[in-house]
Amino acid sequence: MQEKGTISIHTENIFPIIKKFLYSDHEIFLRELVSNAVDASQKIKRLSSLGQYQGELGDLRVEVALDTEKKTITISDKGLGMTADEIKKYINQIAFSGATEFVEKFKDSKDANELIGKFGLGFYSAFMVADQVEIQTLSYQEGAEPARWICDGSTEFEITEGNRTERGTDIILHVNADSEEFLDKSKLQGILDKYCRFLPVPIKFGTTTETEPDGEDEEGKPKYTTVEVDNIINNTNPIWTKAPADLKDEDYLAFYKELYPFSEDPLFWIHLNVDYPFNLTGVLYFPKVKNDFDFQRNKIKLFSRQVFITDEVKDIVPEFLMLLHGVIDSPDIPLNVSRSFLQADSNVKKINSYITKKVADKLAELFKKDRKAFEEKWQDIGLFVKYGIVSEDKFYEKAKDFALLSNTNGEHFTFDEYKEKIKPLQTDKNDTLVYLYTVDADKQHSFVQSANNKGYDVLLMNTPIDNHFISHMEQKLEKSSLKRVDSDVVDKLIVKDDAPAHVLSEEQTTKVKSVFESTIQKPNFKVEIESLNPEELPVHITMDEFMRRMKDMAQMGGGMSFYGSMPDNYKVAVNGNHPLISRIASTENAEEQSKLAKQAFDLALLSQGLLTGAELTDFVKRSVELI
Ligand code: ADP
């Protein structure tokens, strides 16, 4: 038997095109060929279980072999094999409508994945790295003859009698000069680890040595010898393929360690398992996150039937869950099409909302089952939940029942609980509920103290997402506003009808104001005389909530660069009811007035860490003199 022919495509030569357009990701040739070998192995298994194949199945492992001398890589399987006719049908007739269209469409394409899947070029990806590809195969069918196909990268191929004596297929790649990097053992091992680590059929790549007990020596001590054993590179039964009921916590933790050997244990995990309306399995882990937002993204691995595809899961996993770790396996995700198509794909959308829902359900369950444990984890989980709340309305709808607000005493409340808690004291005269928060309880200590003295509660908002979270919550909560404790003096944070009266006369007020203005002499510090509780500090320095938020947003790149370039504007709130201020008002000694005002102002700066450098040195000197 010998036959020559031309591969049926409409352009002279497909291979230069493949080589030219598939210049990235050359390494995926191995994924494609090993996947084919695995498919062939699973097919024979199925035929056997259906009774359509009566022979011995034997050991179905797939073998990848490297011969650096001959410069070949061989992928062998004991799968169902092919007859010469099947080679002609499956290999020669490349299933796409025409190379012209293909070239037109993907002229600008840089993504090998895109082409390979779309046009069923899996096998032909071999020509990215080989200038000659040979198939030696023997079909499982009764009386089948071994066949050999060889092709040198032109459209000419040759089919002759083969030499395989056992059922299955060898794909032999004669690696081309440009691809000699692939003739390296550790390089191949790396590629196999990346793509083939969880394939369902054992993959052998070379051998390793192991020590084995080997009887006893003359003195009766155990003896050992080293033996060569097959190096199996994959775990054929990763946990996501198993039923959750068959798995223990240890199994999930062990798998996590297998995926991320150097990570701390995760907080908890979610086993995904759905077969309608799309097929998806996986395990998602909530890692311990440092409060750094860009920390370890792209830690979710996407598989299709246990073949690794990518760790860029951007469109499949909701943005706010990108920090999760783990695996997702779905044959229903169109892996091989372009980004924009992926975003529009209805399965992808469904998967995205399924994952959102699953995560929300799991969190709700944890909250319900053991609130204390949930609160302990809140520091870590809170980041995701808040991010989810601001970015996905559907998630907010579920999360509003278990999301927690933490106050400066380390207590946690649900939104509803908190509302009830602060309602009696923190409702202003317009019936607006005022939520107070601090971003740094130490730095804003005097303000927190003032609020607490009034019986107000102060929330701690110190994660990177809190800026967004605060604005978002304000939109969601009815008749409510959120104010940072240092955005005004305590009586103005929550304005009530019973504000304390002024003790200063109008004349004194004007006088005190001008004393402070001439003492401070800073254009961005605006003096105002307030009537506060005499117990409060003589001077507070505050920054308007709105201005500060705008500046914060600008700093985070929120596009409000106009605000970003503005100086910090402060209000110097002078407590007109404080005895010290009364003293300034009643004395005629200009020097003393100014000295007192300066000291009171510096004390206010000091309490907020705003007093630095020469001003701080002066202050210390002056204080010593006063003593
Ligand atoms: P796909 O795998 O997407 O169908 P490929 O180009 O990779 O596309 O393979 C084309 C066909 O060639 C396969 O569908 C299969 O019928 C056959 N084939 C490829 N590799 C093998 C193999 N190792 N054993 C048996 N058949 C194979």
Side-chain angles (χ1 to χ4, degrees), residues 45-83:
K45 221 165 151 180
R46 206 167 318 128
L47 287 172
S48 169
S49 70
L50 292 171
Q52 290 175 22
Y53 172 63
Q54 258 93 31
E56 280 294 315
L57 271 186
D59 178 2
L60 286 179
R61 73 181 54 180
V62 167
E63 186 170 344
V64 177
L66 172 66
D67 188 328
T68 43
E69 244 145 65
K70 289 195 188 129
K71 302 195 173 174
T72 59
I73 299 170
T74 302
I75 296 98
S76 310
D77 66 65
K78 294 170 188 141
L80 81 177
M82 284 181 276
T83 62

mmCIF file of all heavy atoms in Angstrom, residues 45-83:
data_model
loop_
_atom_site.group_PDB
_atom_site.id
_atom_site.type_symbol
_atom_site.label_atom_id
_atom_site.label_comp_id
_atom_site.label_asym_id
_atom_site.label_seq_id
_atom_site.Cartn_x
_atom_site.Cartn_y
_atom_site.Cartn_z
ATOM 1 N N LYS A 45 -12.052 3.144 25.717
ATOM 2 C CA LYS A 45 -12.637 2.712 26.982
ATOM 3 C C LYS A 45 -14.160 2.655 26.852
ATOM 4 O O LYS A 45 -14.803 1.712 27.290
ATOM 5 C CB LYS A 45 -12.274 3.736 28.059
ATOM 6 C CG LYS A 45 -11.891 3.145 29.386
ATOM 7 C CD LYS A 45 -11.216 4.222 30.191
ATOM 8 C CE LYS A 45 -11.358 4.090 31.665
ATOM 9 N NZ LYS A 45 -10.667 5.195 32.348
ATOM 10 N N ARG A 46 -14.696 3.697 26.248
ATOM 11 C CA ARG A 46 -16.145 3.763 26.078
ATOM 12 C C ARG A 46 -16.625 2.640 25.157
ATOM 13 O O ARG A 46 -17.607 1.973 25.441
ATOM 14 C CB ARG A 46 -16.568 5.126 25.537
ATOM 15 C CG ARG A 46 -17.997 5.483 25.914
ATOM 16 C CD ARG A 46 -18.317 6.952 25.645
ATOM 17 N NE ARG A 46 -17.225 7.832 26.034
ATOM 18 C CZ ARG A 46 -16.672 8.751 25.234
ATOM 19 N NH1 ARG A 46 -17.112 8.906 24.008
ATOM 20 N NH2 ARG A 46 -15.678 9.519 25.661
ATOM 21 N N LEU A 47 -15.896 2.442 24.044
ATOM 22 C CA LEU A 47 -16.279 1.368 23.125
ATOM 23 C C LEU A 47 -16.272 0.025 23.842
ATOM 24 O O LEU A 47 -17.153 -0.809 23.639
ATOM 25 C CB LEU A 47 -15.309 1.327 21.938
ATOM 26 C CG LEU A 47 -15.460 2.463 20.936
ATOM 27 C CD1 LEU A 47 -14.328 2.441 19.914
ATOM 28 C CD2 LEU A 47 -16.822 2.379 20.236
ATOM 29 N N SER A 48 -15.296 -0.131 24.704
ATOM 30 C CA SER A 48 -15.190 -1.379 25.441
ATOM 31 C C SER A 48 -16.370 -1.538 26.394
ATOM 32 O O SER A 48 -16.986 -2.601 26.478
ATOM 33 C CB SER A 48 -13.867 -1.396 26.195
ATOM 34 O OG SER A 48 -13.834 -2.461 27.099
ATOM 35 N N SER A 49 -16.705 -0.449 27.089
ATOM 36 C CA SER A 49 -17.809 -0.564 28.053
ATOM 37 C C SER A 49 -19.146 -0.739 27.342
ATOM 38 O O SER A 49 -20.083 -1.299 27.890
ATOM 39 C CB SER A 49 -17.836 0.645 28.985
ATOM 40 O OG SER A 49 -18.246 1.788 28.281
ATOM 41 N N LEU A 50 -19.221 -0.278 26.089
ATOM 42 C CA LEU A 50 -20.455 -0.468 25.324
ATOM 43 C C LEU A 50 -20.494 -1.840 24.651
ATOM 44 O O LEU A 50 -21.439 -2.178 23.946
ATOM 45 C CB LEU A 50 -20.577 0.615 24.245
ATOM 46 C CG LEU A 50 -20.814 2.049 24.724
ATOM 47 C CD1 LEU A 50 -20.702 3.026 23.564
ATOM 48 C CD2 LEU A 50 -22.172 2.160 25.395
ATOM 49 N N GLY A 51 -19.401 -2.601 24.826
ATOM 50 C CA GLY A 51 -19.344 -3.927 24.218
ATOM 51 C C GLY A 51 -18.975 -3.897 22.747
ATOM 52 O O GLY A 51 -19.012 -4.916 22.045
ATOM 53 N N GLN A 52 -18.586 -2.735 22.239
ATOM 54 C CA GLN A 52 -18.238 -2.659 20.819
ATOM 55 C C GLN A 52 -16.771 -2.979 20.572
ATOM 56 O O GLN A 52 -16.296 -2.984 19.446
ATOM 57 C CB GLN A 52 -18.573 -1.267 20.286
ATOM 58 C CG GLN A 52 -20.074 -1.064 20.205
ATOM 59 C CD GLN A 52 -20.442 0.354 19.801
ATOM 60 O OE1 GLN A 52 -19.644 1.056 19.203
ATOM 61 N NE2 GLN A 52 -21.650 0.757 20.128
ATOM 62 N N TYR A 53 -16.046 -3.150 21.656
ATOM 63 C CA TYR A 53 -14.662 -3.599 21.527
ATOM 64 C C TYR A 53 -14.448 -4.687 22.552
ATOM 65 O O TYR A 53 -14.672 -4.482 23.754
ATOM 66 C CB TYR A 53 -13.703 -2.422 21.772
ATOM 67 C CG TYR A 53 -12.259 -2.837 21.838
ATOM 68 C CD1 TYR A 53 -11.641 -3.408 20.716
ATOM 69 C CD2 TYR A 53 -11.519 -2.685 23.002
ATOM 70 C CE1 TYR A 53 -10.314 -3.806 20.769
ATOM 71 C CE2 TYR A 53 -10.193 -3.070 23.068
ATOM 72 C CZ TYR A 53 -9.588 -3.633 21.952
ATOM 73 O OH TYR A 53 -8.277 -4.028 22.017
ATOM 74 N N GLN A 54 -14.045 -5.873 22.064
ATOM 75 C CA GLN A 54 -13.936 -7.010 22.970
ATOM 76 C C GLN A 54 -12.520 -7.281 23.462
ATOM 77 O O GLN A 54 -12.324 -8.024 24.400
ATOM 78 C CB GLN A 54 -14.488 -8.279 22.300
ATOM 79 C CG GLN A 54 -15.892 -8.639 22.775
ATOM 80 C CD GLN A 54 -16.974 -8.044 21.875
ATOM 81 O OE1 GLN A 54 -16.736 -7.879 20.669
ATOM 82 N NE2 GLN A 54 -18.127 -7.722 22.428
ATOM 83 N N GLY A 55 -11.548 -6.658 22.808
ATOM 84 C CA GLY A 55 -10.152 -6.949 23.169
ATOM 85 C C GLY A 55 -9.779 -6.435 24.546
ATOM 86 O O GLY A 55 -10.580 -5.799 25.238
ATOM 87 N N GLU A 56 -8.562 -6.727 24.955
ATOM 88 C CA GLU A 56 -8.036 -6.233 26.227
ATOM 89 C C GLU A 56 -7.845 -4.726 26.137
ATOM 90 O O GLU A 56 -7.292 -4.228 25.159
ATOM 91 C CB GLU A 56 -6.659 -6.866 26.492
ATOM 92 C CG GLU A 56 -6.706 -8.268 27.044
ATOM 93 C CD GLU A 56 -7.300 -8.311 28.439
ATOM 94 O OE1 GLU A 56 -6.920 -7.465 29.271
ATOM 95 O OE2 GLU A 56 -8.172 -9.180 28.684
ATOM 96 N N LEU A 57 -8.243 -4.020 27.167
ATOM 97 C CA LEU A 57 -7.975 -2.579 27.164
ATOM 98 C C LEU A 57 -6.515 -2.300 27.500
ATOM 99 O O LEU A 57 -5.873 -1.437 26.914
ATOM 100 C CB LEU A 57 -8.855 -1.875 28.196
ATOM 101 C CG LEU A 57 -10.215 -1.407 27.732
ATOM 102 C CD1 LEU A 57 -10.876 -0.620 28.847
ATOM 103 C CD2 LEU A 57 -10.100 -0.543 26.479
ATOM 104 N N GLY A 58 -5.997 -3.073 28.445
ATOM 105 C CA GLY A 58 -4.611 -2.883 28.864
ATOM 106 C C GLY A 58 -4.423 -1.567 29.592
ATOM 107 O O GLY A 58 -5.381 -0.924 30.015
ATOM 108 N N ASP A 59 -3.174 -1.197 29.719
ATOM 109 C CA ASP A 59 -2.831 0.042 30.421
ATOM 110 C C ASP A 59 -2.939 1.188 29.426
ATOM 111 O O ASP A 59 -2.200 1.256 28.458
ATOM 112 C CB ASP A 59 -1.397 -0.112 30.947
ATOM 113 C CG ASP A 59 -0.938 1.140 31.651
ATOM 114 O OD1 ASP A 59 -1.736 2.087 31.766
ATOM 115 O OD2 ASP A 59 0.229 1.163 32.077
ATOM 116 N N LEU A 60 -3.876 2.085 29.704
ATOM 117 C CA LEU A 60 -4.178 3.102 28.687
ATOM 118 C C LEU A 60 -3.305 4.357 28.756
ATOM 119 O O LEU A 60 -3.616 5.357 28.154
ATOM 120 C CB LEU A 60 -5.648 3.507 28.791
ATOM 121 C CG LEU A 60 -6.644 2.478 28.252
ATOM 122 C CD1 LEU A 60 -8.059 2.973 28.438
ATOM 123 C CD2 LEU A 60 -6.385 2.159 26.799
ATOM 124 N N ARG A 61 -2.216 4.288 29.494
ATOM 125 C CA ARG A 61 -1.479 5.539 29.671
ATOM 126 C C ARG A 61 -0.926 6.116 28.357
ATOM 127 O O ARG A 61 -0.648 5.393 27.411
ATOM 128 C CB ARG A 61 -0.372 5.367 30.698
ATOM 129 C CG ARG A 61 0.801 4.561 30.226
ATOM 130 C CD ARG A 61 1.814 4.445 31.337
ATOM 131 N NE ARG A 61 1.237 3.925 32.573
ATOM 132 C CZ ARG A 61 1.939 3.734 33.677
ATOM 133 N NH1 ARG A 61 3.218 4.027 33.711
ATOM 134 N NH2 ARG A 61 1.373 3.238 34.748
ATOM 135 N N VAL A 62 -0.830 7.418 28.355
ATOM 136 C CA VAL A 62 -0.284 8.135 27.201
ATOM 137 C C VAL A 62 1.179 8.429 27.523
ATOM 138 O O VAL A 62 1.521 8.706 28.665
ATOM 139 C CB VAL A 62 -1.056 9.464 27.005
ATOM 140 C CG1 VAL A 62 -0.345 10.391 26.036
ATOM 141 C CG2 VAL A 62 -2.483 9.171 26.548
ATOM 142 N N GLU A 63 2.022 8.346 26.514
ATOM 143 C CA GLU A 63 3.431 8.585 26.791
ATOM 144 C C GLU A 63 3.988 9.695 25.912
ATOM 145 O O GLU A 63 3.744 9.736 24.711
ATOM 146 C CB GLU A 63 4.213 7.300 26.570
ATOM 147 C CG GLU A 63 5.657 7.461 26.979
ATOM 148 C CD GLU A 63 6.430 6.142 27.002
ATOM 149 O OE1 GLU A 63 5.791 5.069 26.990
ATOM 150 O OE2 GLU A 63 7.668 6.208 27.023
ATOM 151 N N VAL A 64 4.710 10.592 26.542
ATOM 152 C CA VAL A 64 5.402 11.633 25.789
ATOM 153 C C VAL A 64 6.887 11.315 25.884
ATOM 154 O O VAL A 64 7.417 11.131 26.974
ATOM 155 C CB VAL A 64 5.131 13.027 26.384
ATOM 156 C CG1 VAL A 64 5.912 14.107 25.630
ATOM 157 C CG2 VAL A 64 3.634 13.336 26.358
ATOM 158 N N ALA A 65 7.538 11.203 24.728
ATOM 159 C CA ALA A 65 8.957 10.830 24.753
ATOM 160 C C ALA A 65 9.775 11.827 23.958
ATOM 161 O O ALA A 65 9.347 12.333 22.920
ATOM 162 C CB ALA A 65 9.127 9.426 24.183
ATOM 163 N N LEU A 66 10.951 12.085 24.478
ATOM 164 C CA LEU A 66 11.830 13.066 23.852
ATOM 165 C C LEU A 66 13.090 12.345 23.393
ATOM 166 O O LEU A 66 13.683 11.569 24.131
ATOM 167 C CB LEU A 66 12.173 14.125 24.905
ATOM 168 C CG LEU A 66 13.217 15.173 24.571
ATOM 169 C CD1 LEU A 66 12.711 16.077 23.461
ATOM 170 C CD2 LEU A 66 13.536 15.994 25.814
ATOM 171 N N ASP A 67 13.490 12.577 22.146
ATOM 172 C CA ASP A 67 14.754 12.023 21.661
ATOM 173 C C ASP A 67 15.592 13.183 21.156
ATOM 174 O O ASP A 67 15.355 13.712 20.064
ATOM 175 C CB ASP A 67 14.482 11.002 20.551
ATOM 176 C CG ASP A 67 15.752 10.254 20.143
ATOM 177 O OD1 ASP A 67 16.850 10.874 20.211
ATOM 178 O OD2 ASP A 67 15.646 9.068 19.769
ATOM 179 N N THR A 68 16.546 13.584 21.983
ATOM 180 C CA THR A 68 17.302 14.787 21.613
ATOM 181 C C THR A 68 18.242 14.522 20.438
ATOM 182 O O THR A 68 18.581 15.430 19.693
ATOM 183 C CB THR A 68 18.119 15.311 22.813
ATOM 184 O OG1 THR A 68 18.727 14.218 23.467
ATOM 185 C CG2 THR A 68 17.236 16.055 23.793
ATOM 186 N N GLU A 69 18.658 13.264 20.284
ATOM 187 C CA GLU A 69 19.552 12.961 19.158
ATOM 188 C C GLU A 69 18.822 13.018 17.828
ATOM 189 O O GLU A 69 19.256 13.673 16.885
ATOM 190 C CB GLU A 69 20.176 11.582 19.343
ATOM 191 C CG GLU A 69 21.682 11.655 19.518
ATOM 192 C CD GLU A 69 22.184 10.591 20.467
ATOM 193 O OE1 GLU A 69 22.048 9.405 20.104
ATOM 194 O OE2 GLU A 69 22.668 10.943 21.563
ATOM 195 N N LYS A 70 17.700 12.325 17.794
ATOM 196 C CA LYS A 70 16.920 12.327 16.545
ATOM 197 C C LYS A 70 16.110 13.606 16.398
ATOM 198 O O LYS A 70 15.449 13.828 15.389
ATOM 199 C CB LYS A 70 15.973 11.130 16.530
ATOM 200 C CG LYS A 70 16.663 9.811 16.352
ATOM 201 C CD LYS A 70 15.615 8.759 15.974
ATOM 202 C CE LYS A 70 16.206 7.360 15.964
ATOM 203 N NZ LYS A 70 15.404 6.408 16.753
ATOM 204 N N LYS A 71 16.102 14.427 17.470
ATOM 205 C CA LYS A 71 15.321 15.672 17.478
ATOM 206 C C LYS A 71 13.833 15.421 17.238
ATOM 207 O O LYS A 71 13.190 16.061 16.391
ATOM 208 C CB LYS A 71 15.863 16.667 16.451
ATOM 209 C CG LYS A 71 17.322 16.993 16.722
ATOM 210 C CD LYS A 71 17.784 18.210 15.986
ATOM 211 C CE LYS A 71 19.200 18.554 16.446
ATOM 212 N NZ LYS A 71 19.817 19.609 15.720
ATOM 213 N N THR A 72 13.326 14.451 17.992
ATOM 214 C CA THR A 72 11.894 14.155 17.858
ATOM 215 C C THR A 72 11.203 14.223 19.218
ATOM 216 O O THR A 72 11.817 14.008 20.259
ATOM 217 C CB THR A 72 11.648 12.735 17.298
ATOM 218 O OG1 THR A 72 12.258 11.789 18.176
ATOM 219 C CG2 THR A 72 12.159 12.597 15.889
ATOM 220 N N ILE A 73 9.916 14.536 19.146
ATOM 221 C CA ILE A 73 9.025 14.395 20.292
ATOM 222 C C ILE A 73 7.922 13.451 19.828
ATOM 223 O O ILE A 73 7.342 13.664 18.764
ATOM 224 C CB ILE A 73 8.418 15.745 20.703
ATOM 225 C CG1 ILE A 73 9.520 16.738 21.099
ATOM 226 C CG2 ILE A 73 7.427 15.569 21.848
ATOM 227 C CD1 ILE A 73 9.027 18.167 21.281
ATOM 228 N N THR A 74 7.684 12.407 20.626
ATOM 229 C CA THR A 74 6.675 11.426 20.224
ATOM 230 C C THR A 74 5.581 11.355 21.275
ATOM 231 O O THR A 74 5.864 11.279 22.475
ATOM 232 C CB THR A 74 7.309 10.026 20.069
ATOM 233 O OG1 THR A 74 8.353 10.127 19.107
ATOM 234 C CG2 THR A 74 6.281 9.007 19.611
ATOM 235 N N ILE A 75 4.356 11.423 20.805
ATOM 236 C CA ILE A 75 3.212 11.297 21.704
ATOM 237 C C ILE A 75 2.513 9.980 21.342
ATOM 238 O O ILE A 75 2.040 9.827 20.215
ATOM 239 C CB ILE A 75 2.243 12.483 21.563
ATOM 240 C CG1 ILE A 75 2.931 13.789 21.993
ATOM 241 C CG2 ILE A 75 0.998 12.288 22.426
ATOM 242 C CD1 ILE A 75 3.455 14.598 20.856
ATOM 243 N N SER A 76 2.491 9.056 22.278
ATOM 244 C CA SER A 76 1.932 7.734 21.982
ATOM 245 C C SER A 76 0.738 7.439 22.861
ATOM 246 O O SER A 76 0.743 7.773 24.042
ATOM 247 C CB SER A 76 2.973 6.639 22.254
ATOM 248 O OG SER A 76 4.179 6.961 21.634
ATOM 249 N N ASP A 77 -0.244 6.798 22.257
ATOM 250 C CA ASP A 77 -1.379 6.367 23.063
ATOM 251 C C ASP A 77 -1.776 4.956 22.693
ATOM 252 O O ASP A 77 -1.346 4.421 21.669
ATOM 253 C CB ASP A 77 -2.557 7.334 22.881
ATOM 254 C CG ASP A 77 -3.120 7.323 21.471
ATOM 255 O OD1 ASP A 77 -3.665 6.280 21.040
ATOM 256 O OD2 ASP A 77 -3.010 8.368 20.781
ATOM 257 N N LYS A 78 -2.565 4.345 23.556
ATOM 258 C CA LYS A 78 -3.116 3.019 23.265
ATOM 259 C C LYS A 78 -4.614 3.154 23.094
ATOM 260 O O LYS A 78 -5.402 2.362 23.590
ATOM 261 C CB LYS A 78 -2.750 2.059 24.395
ATOM 262 C CG LYS A 78 -1.249 1.822 24.445
ATOM 263 C CD LYS A 78 -0.835 1.076 25.687
ATOM 264 C CE LYS A 78 0.686 1.053 25.779
ATOM 265 N NZ LYS A 78 1.153 1.221 27.167
ATOM 266 N N GLY A 79 -4.970 4.206 22.399
ATOM 267 C CA GLY A 79 -6.375 4.500 22.164
ATOM 268 C C GLY A 79 -6.941 3.710 21.009
ATOM 269 O O GLY A 79 -6.451 2.623 20.706
ATOM 270 N N LEU A 80 -7.917 4.267 20.353
ATOM 271 C CA LEU A 80 -8.614 3.471 19.344
ATOM 272 C C LEU A 80 -7.901 3.396 18.003
ATOM 273 O O LEU A 80 -8.235 2.579 17.156
ATOM 274 C CB LEU A 80 -10.072 3.930 19.190
ATOM 275 C CG LEU A 80 -10.439 5.127 18.352
ATOM 276 C CD1 LEU A 80 -11.938 5.290 18.336
ATOM 277 C CD2 LEU A 80 -9.766 6.380 18.809
ATOM 278 N N GLY A 81 -6.860 4.253 17.810
ATOM 279 C CA GLY A 81 -6.114 4.167 16.552
ATOM 280 C C GLY A 81 -6.930 4.625 15.353
ATOM 281 O O GLY A 81 -8.092 5.024 15.487
ATOM 282 N N MET A 82 -6.302 4.584 14.185
ATOM 283 C CA MET A 82 -7.005 4.992 12.959
ATOM 284 C C MET A 82 -6.648 4.045 11.827
ATOM 285 O O MET A 82 -5.510 3.558 11.747
ATOM 286 C CB MET A 82 -6.584 6.416 12.554
ATOM 287 C CG MET A 82 -7.197 7.523 13.370
ATOM 288 S SD MET A 82 -6.653 9.157 12.807
ATOM 289 C CE MET A 82 -5.096 9.320 13.664
ATOM 290 N N THR A 83 -7.577 3.806 10.951
ATOM 291 C CA THR A 83 -7.269 3.097 9.711
ATOM 292 C C THR A 83 -6.791 4.142 8.704
ATOM 293 O O THR A 83 -6.943 5.347 8.925
ATOM 294 C CB THR A 83 -8.521 2.404 9.140
ATOM 295 O OG1 THR A 83 -9.479 3.437 8.849
ATOM 296 C CG2 THR A 83 -9.120 1.420 10.131
#
